[in-house]
Amino acid sequence: MRRLIAGTGWKMNNTVAETRRYAQILGQWSAGQDLSAIDIFVLPPFTSLHAAASAFSDTLVRTGGQNMHWDDSGGWTGEVSAGMLVEAGCRYVELAHSERLQHFGETYACVRLKVDKAISAGLTPIICLGETAKEKAAGRADAVLMEQVLTSIEGQPDQRIPEVVLAYEPRWAIGGAEAASPDYVAERHAALREVLRKHRSEEVAQQTRIIYGGSVTPENGKSLIGIADVDGLFVGRAAWTPEGFARIIELVATAAREKSLSA
Ligand code: PEP
């Protein structure tokens, strides 16, 4: 059975002091919960990574970067390497977030290089995948997802693929008013799993986790995490407070218990 995931990306929010406060509140809450069946991550901005890793060190919460460069060092002003993230206590790194693609011109060809470096450094890459509103309207969602995922994992041997987390984040649903409908999410996740099955193997398809992100809230999260092919929730705004993230974690932990009972 795939371990479910509850994760949040903070974007450009939370100073070091705010990070410590968030971790203290979430840490106190989580101490009274049984969260051993799920994986939990937070993705602070670079300057708060070290503080987050140390503030969460006695909890099950792991930290990750929101981006990284594919090179180890050198003339890449403004960038950080996989090794630097590891040194700051990271276990994860988010790649190809829609805001990176939209505002900073990132491409999946670069993402492929980053995936390779991240895995080699011992980081779990969270690879964001998603179609734009225009691509959705043109009925191209699954073709776009296939192209993105195959480019991102190109050159990786099959045994490495389950080490990545795929995050289906429809670009039109991020930062919006509404998440994609459960039926729509179920179709896209099934299509992504089918791509892994067809282009890799049944084993890779069964082992690789595919999480959903895009306007998830504690209210709509229950029906999304209940979908068989959805292996976790990736949340922005609704988890920017520790109380909000606690509600999402609770949903995922409950779903993990239910899914294991029905397995
Ligand atoms: C995101 O930015 O990845 C995201 C999922 O944001 P939100 O939940 O706020 O839509």
Side-chain angles (χ1 to χ4, degrees):
M1 243 198 80
R2 298 180 295 269
R3 277 173 74 82
L4 299 190
I5 303 174
T8 177
W10 290 354
K11 309 198 189 200
M12 200 169 70
N13 296 295
N14 288 331
T15 61
V16 168
E18 288 161 347
T19 296
R20 290 195 180 118
R21 190 177 160 275
Y22 187 114
Q24 191 192 10
I25 296 171
L26 192 67
Q28 269 168 7
W29 169 81
S30 68
Q33 312 291 318
D34 178 9
L35 304 174
S36 55
I38 63 170
D39 292 338
I40 305 169
F41 67 74
V42 298
L43 309 177
F46 290 139
T47 49
S48 296
L49 281 176
H50 193 267
S54 104
F56 282 119
S57 62
D58 289 337
T59 74
L60 294 171
V61 180
R62 300 289 172 258
T63 54
Q66 298 176 14
N67 183 32
M68 56 164 254
H69 198 271
W70 62 82
D71 206 351
D72 291 327
S73 61
W76 302 107
T77 300
E79 294 288 322
V80 304
S81 69
M84 290 169 184
L85 292 181
V86 171
E87 189 185 37
C90 291
R91 299 284 191 86
Y92 292 86
V93 63
E94 178 180 26
L95 302 173
H97 187 275
S98 87
E99 286 151 18
R100 303 281 331 158
L101 304 176
Q102 184 184 346
H103 303 302
F104 301 98
E106 290 196 8
T107 66
Y108 281 89
C110 293
V111 171
R112 181 174 66 79
L113 301 175
K114 295 180 186 196
V115 167
D116 189 57
K117 185 62 74 167
I119 299 176
S120 300
L123 292 166
T124 298
I126 304 155
I127 307 173
C128 301
L129 311 163
E131 78 285 6
T132 61
K134 206 166 152 198
E135 289 160 345
K136 175 177 186 265
R140 297 195 52 242
D142 289 342
V144 167
L145 292 174
M146 181 168 83
E147 167 74 19
Q148 292 173 345
V149 70
L150 291 181
T151 304
S152 303
I153 62 175
E154 192 186 323
Q156 300 301 329
D158 279 3
Q159 66 269 23
R160 263 189 161 195
I161 308 299
E163 292 176 40
V164 312
V165 171
L166 301 180
Y168 172 53
E169 296 215 301
R171 292 174 65 175
W172 48 270
I174 291 178
E178 253 187 281
S181 72
D183 285 351
Y184 188 83
V185 173
E187 284 170 16
R188 302 290 81 71
H189 278 238
L192 273 167
R193 216 173 284 290
E194 186 54 32
V195 170
L196 295 177
R197 187 173 289 122
K198 189 165 161 219
H199 292 264
R200 296 301 185 131
S201 68
E202 178 63 30
E203 208 181 354
V204 168
Q206 285 309 324
Q207 289 177 357
T208 306
R209 292 179 293 177
I210 310 175
I211 63 178
Y212 172 79
S215 298
V216 173
T217 63
E219 289 71 38
N220 64 25
K222 190 171 169 10
S223 51
L224 293 165
I225 192 64
I227 298 167
D229 274 316
V230 172
D231 303 317
L233 299 176
F234 189 14
V235 186
R237 291 157 298 162
W240 284 352
T241 63
E243 295 82 5
F245 194 29
R247 292 181 68 192
I248 300 290
I249 294 171
E250 227 168 4
L251 281 181
V252 175
T254 304
R257 283 190 285 278
E258 289 170 1
K259 286 187 182 186
S260 87
L261 284 177
S262 65

